[in-house]
Amino acid sequence: MKDLMFYYKKSMRKNFALGAFNFSSLEVLKAIASAAEKTSSPAIIAVSESALEYMGENFVMANAKLVKESCKAPLFLHLDHGKSFEICKKAVDLGFDSVMIDASALPFEENVALTKKVCDYAHEKGVFVEGELGQIAGIEDNTFAKNHIFTDPQKAKEFVKMTKVDSLAVAIGTSHGAYKYKGESRLRFDILSEIEKKLPRFPLVLHGASSVSEKLVKIINENGGKIDGAKGVSEELAKMAVQMHNIAKINIDTDLRIAFTAGVRSSLKERPENFDQRTYCLNGQKMVEEVVVHKIKNLLNSEKMA
Ligand code: G3H
Ligand code: 13P
Ligand code: ZN
């Protein structure tokens, strides 16, 4: 089977990116796998520290193994936003394909030292490592930064050289969660281009790239929800990052949470007498699958890349 490095290298030559889709339930994991299989696309199944704790490592490893083995498309298990050496080591030891060490809140030298320590350990076992430089604003449980600190291109070059990291998450104006912008979405493509000049053909990662579909938010609000003022990165902008830049991986979590919630709420509203969670969770699962298929075909261009 082709490994993760194969796809990252391919993304540098072709206009496509890997989707890293977060899951914290079996339904969402199954939705991602089914979408990848239907579109013959590789996909990264990502687990944050808090999702790992929520599901439990035995549940994650057993189900990820089963789903990876039965899925006809390649799936890679990734630790998202690991904040310490210990959690990254644990993920490597458990058998993750890839880990992210997110030491971006630390001063540059400390970020370098911690990222290098994770790389030294993970590379020894053939595990891919993503680092982060700059800070991506927004809140999602464990992952919190109040303001953007855009990635410094020269520092990015030094960081990659010193740490030997395999890919780098950059801060160019995206943010985590559903409330990314007050007005129009904006990305600092000028900074991205400068980073690319310093790091030619090096795989970069875009976090916080959910588009927060107005249609799905409307479904949530029409079915008892109350999500006001949500705004994501326009899909056109995210597409430009994939097609014209070295963005090799795009992280999507919020869009899946919104799709699942829309599916559950509309099912419960439609059948108020129902209390069998398999029905409404399945509806959530189907809506997540639709979103993942859409991302693969329209944003990531990773269809038939398996
Ligand atoms: O980037 C952060 C991810 O969306 C994970 O968020 O810690 O709420 O699972 P979480
Ligand atoms: P969103 O909140 O935009 O989906 O970003 C998810 C993410 O970056 C996970 O690491
Ligand atoms: Zn993230």
Short mmCIF file of all heavy atoms in Angstrom, two decimals, residues 22 80-81 100 102 130 132 136 140 143 176 206-208 251, ligand 3:
data_model
loop_
_atom_site.label_atom_id
_atom_site.label_comp_id
_atom_site.label_asym_id
_atom_site.label_seq_id
_atom_site.Cartn_x
_atom_site.Cartn_y
_atom_site.Cartn_z
N ASN A 22 -11.67 15.08 11.10
CA ASN A 22 -11.70 14.70 12.53
C ASN A 22 -12.91 13.84 12.83
O ASN A 22 -13.99 14.07 12.31
CB ASN A 22 -11.79 15.95 13.40
CG ASN A 22 -10.48 16.71 13.44
OD1 ASN A 22 -10.11 17.37 12.48
ND2 ASN A 22 -9.78 16.62 14.55
N ASP A 80 -4.19 14.73 15.94
CA ASP A 80 -4.33 16.15 15.63
C ASP A 80 -4.01 16.99 16.87
O ASP A 80 -4.51 16.71 17.96
CB ASP A 80 -5.80 16.38 15.20
CG ASP A 80 -6.04 17.74 14.58
OD1 ASP A 80 -5.10 18.30 14.00
OD2 ASP A 80 -7.19 18.22 14.67
N HIS A 81 -3.18 17.99 16.72
CA HIS A 81 -2.84 18.92 17.81
C HIS A 81 -2.34 18.24 19.09
O HIS A 81 -2.83 18.54 20.18
CB HIS A 81 -4.03 19.82 18.16
CG HIS A 81 -4.38 20.80 17.07
ND1 HIS A 81 -3.64 21.93 16.80
CD2 HIS A 81 -5.39 20.79 16.16
CE1 HIS A 81 -4.18 22.58 15.78
NE2 HIS A 81 -5.24 21.90 15.37
N MET A 100 0.74 15.04 14.92
CA MET A 100 1.03 16.47 14.89
C MET A 100 1.50 16.88 16.27
O MET A 100 0.82 16.61 17.26
CB MET A 100 -0.22 17.28 14.56
CG MET A 100 0.05 18.77 14.64
SD MET A 100 -1.46 19.74 14.50
CE MET A 100 -0.75 21.37 14.29
N ASP A 102 1.89 20.11 18.22
CA ASP A 102 1.51 21.52 18.14
C ASP A 102 2.09 22.25 19.34
O ASP A 102 1.48 22.33 20.40
CB ASP A 102 -0.02 21.64 18.10
CG ASP A 102 -0.47 23.10 18.14
OD1 ASP A 102 0.41 23.99 18.14
OD2 ASP A 102 -1.70 23.34 18.17
N GLU A 130 3.88 16.25 11.74
CA GLU A 130 3.50 17.62 11.33
C GLU A 130 3.79 18.56 12.50
O GLU A 130 3.50 18.23 13.65
CB GLU A 130 1.98 17.61 11.03
CG GLU A 130 1.37 18.99 10.76
CD GLU A 130 -0.16 18.88 10.53
OE1 GLU A 130 -0.65 17.84 10.03
OE2 GLU A 130 -0.86 19.84 10.87
N GLU A 132 3.82 22.91 13.82
CA GLU A 132 3.08 24.16 13.56
C GLU A 132 3.90 25.36 13.98
O GLU A 132 4.52 25.36 15.05
CB GLU A 132 1.73 24.17 14.31
CG GLU A 132 0.96 25.48 14.10
CD GLU A 132 -0.45 25.48 14.71
OE1 GLU A 132 -1.11 24.43 14.69
OE2 GLU A 132 -0.85 26.54 15.20
N ILE A 136 -2.90 29.65 14.98
CA ILE A 136 -4.19 29.66 14.31
C ILE A 136 -5.23 30.01 15.38
O ILE A 136 -5.36 29.27 16.37
CB ILE A 136 -4.43 28.27 13.69
CG1 ILE A 136 -3.36 28.00 12.62
CG2 ILE A 136 -5.84 28.18 13.11
CD1 ILE A 136 -3.06 26.56 12.39
N GLU A 140 -11.52 25.31 20.09
CA GLU A 140 -12.15 24.00 19.99
C GLU A 140 -11.56 23.16 21.11
O GLU A 140 -10.52 22.55 20.96
CB GLU A 140 -11.88 23.35 18.63
CG GLU A 140 -12.80 23.88 17.57
CD GLU A 140 -12.73 23.10 16.28
OE1 GLU A 140 -12.52 21.89 16.30
OE2 GLU A 140 -12.88 23.74 15.24
N THR A 143 -7.81 23.18 21.82
CA THR A 143 -7.03 23.94 20.86
C THR A 143 -7.48 25.38 20.89
O THR A 143 -8.48 25.73 20.29
CB THR A 143 -7.23 23.34 19.46
OG1 THR A 143 -6.88 21.97 19.55
CG2 THR A 143 -6.41 24.02 18.41
N HIS A 176 -9.89 28.03 13.98
CA HIS A 176 -10.71 26.87 14.35
C HIS A 176 -12.14 27.29 14.70
O HIS A 176 -12.37 28.39 15.18
CB HIS A 176 -10.09 26.15 15.55
CG HIS A 176 -8.80 25.47 15.22
ND1 HIS A 176 -7.59 25.90 15.69
CD2 HIS A 176 -8.54 24.39 14.44
CE1 HIS A 176 -6.63 25.11 15.23
NE2 HIS A 176 -7.18 24.19 14.46
N LEU A 206 -3.16 23.36 6.07
CA LEU A 206 -4.12 24.42 6.42
C LEU A 206 -5.11 23.87 7.44
O LEU A 206 -5.92 22.99 7.13
CB LEU A 206 -4.85 24.85 5.15
CG LEU A 206 -5.48 26.23 5.14
CD1 LEU A 206 -4.45 27.32 5.45
CD2 LEU A 206 -6.13 26.51 3.78
N HIS A 207 -5.01 24.41 8.64
CA HIS A 207 -6.00 24.07 9.69
C HIS A 207 -7.16 25.06 9.61
O HIS A 207 -7.07 26.09 8.94
CB HIS A 207 -5.34 24.19 11.08
CG HIS A 207 -4.49 23.02 11.42
ND1 HIS A 207 -4.79 22.15 12.42
CD2 HIS A 207 -3.33 22.58 10.86
CE1 HIS A 207 -3.86 21.22 12.48
NE2 HIS A 207 -2.96 21.46 11.55
N GLY A 208 -8.20 24.75 10.35
CA GLY A 208 -9.30 25.72 10.48
C GLY A 208 -9.90 26.11 9.15
O GLY A 208 -10.26 27.26 8.93
N ASN A 251 -7.44 20.50 7.02
CA ASN A 251 -8.14 19.92 8.19
C ASN A 251 -9.59 20.38 8.26
O ASN A 251 -9.85 21.59 8.20
CB ASN A 251 -7.45 20.36 9.48
CG ASN A 251 -6.14 19.66 9.71
OD1 ASN A 251 -5.55 19.12 8.79
ND2 ASN A 251 -5.68 19.66 10.94
ZN ZN B 3 -6.40 22.39 13.76
#
